[in-house]
Amino acid sequence: IILTEARCRVSFIHERRNPLFGGRSPAPNLEALRQLVTRIRDDGYDLGLATDGDADRIAIVDENGDYVSTNDLLLLLYYYLREVRGERGAIVRNLATTHLLDRLAAHYGENCYEVPVGFKYIADTMKRHNALLGGESSGGLTIRGHILGKDGIFAAALTVEMLARTGIKISQLRETVYEITGRLYVVEDNVPATPEMRVVIPRRLADAPPSHIGPYPVAEVFYKDGIKFLLENDNWLLLRFSGTEPVLRVFSEADTEEKAHHLVQWIKDF
């Protein structure tokens, strides 16, 4: 409605109510966005926007039809809020979200606070520190002055505002931010988990924490929510058992995509 009243050319996909989501997962991930990607590339749209079933999480596709991760969207929105809106304040992210946010916050002389998985932790920390932006890599975000909860519709509107006020395409904005932060690459994977693994793996890693993950030295180990290994140069590996599925979630972030895959493979071999 916002876009059509603003006289934008808008096309809709899967806009009809369907409690079964057409037999697909309602998660706004790359696999679910193939049709949106095709529409962007074939028809020359500037932006693709998607939400999950209850519209609290967002996903976007740029003008080239390339999927833009929520990690990157958080970077873009924080850059926009600082550079164009002129707002100040910290960032809050969960421990599975990119450390490029830490670099961007440091560039502006601000803090970046890491919290456990769960948006309630992001909301609480934003309130305590009057933070400007809070978000998580799974698609949820909010900003100061809005509700302290995930809102995909608001996030979509904010993204459109960013494009309108800057007059710059998403792909160009990404490159501008990368010039400030450098690049890191995120890899995620799920490993089937048994109840025994939930006990044995944390115990083994706590009793004898590794000094290296492959050839890479471990700088610190955190047990805030799962087990997170911090390596040099903002590289890291996180293991966290799902609270809703029988899987071990594995996240890594590294200087190259190959290195990020190596970190994930190390823990799978372990």
Side-chain angles (χ1 to χ4, degrees), residues 221-235:
V221 183
F222 298 100
Y223 300 91
K224 183 184 298 183
D225 182 11
I227 305 171
K228 186 171 185 176
F229 300 96
L230 187 62
L231 314 177
E232 59 186 12
N233 196 36
D234 294 318
N235 291 201

Side-chain angles (χ1 to χ4, degrees), residues 192-210:
T194 65
E196 291 77 15
M197 288 171 62
R198 292 176 178 267
V199 176
V200 173
I201 290 178
R203 182 183 298 163
R204 284 181 61 188
L205 291 172
D207 290 346

Side-chain angles (χ1 to χ4, degrees), residues 71 94-99 117 136-138 185-191 213 225-231 235-242 247-254 259-265 267-268:
N71 283 321
N94 72 19
L95 77 173
T97 300
T98 180
H99 283 212
V117 172
E136 55 190 12
S137 59
S138 58
Y185 299 84
V186 174
V187 170
E188 302 179 19
D189 203 353
N190 291 332
V191 179
I213 294 179
D225 182 11
I227 305 171
K228 186 171 185 176
F229 300 96
L230 187 62
L231 314 177
N235 291 201
W236 52 271
L237 174 68
L238 170 67
L239 321 175
R240 182 178 180 276
F241 287 98
S242 170
V247 296
L248 172 64
R249 303 202 187 282
V250 183
F251 304 83
S252 70
E253 186 169 40
K259 183 177 178 181
H261 280 290
H262 283 165
L263 296 177
V264 170
Q265 191 59 49
I267 199 62
K268 291 173 76 172

Side-chain angles (χ1 to χ4, degrees), residues 210-222:
S211 60
H212 288 71
I213 294 179
Y216 311 111
V218 175
E220 293 182 77
V221 183
F222 298 100

Side-chain angles (χ1 to χ4, degrees), residues 13 17 76 118 140-141:
I13 300 172
R17 181 179 179 274
L76 296 178
L141 66 93

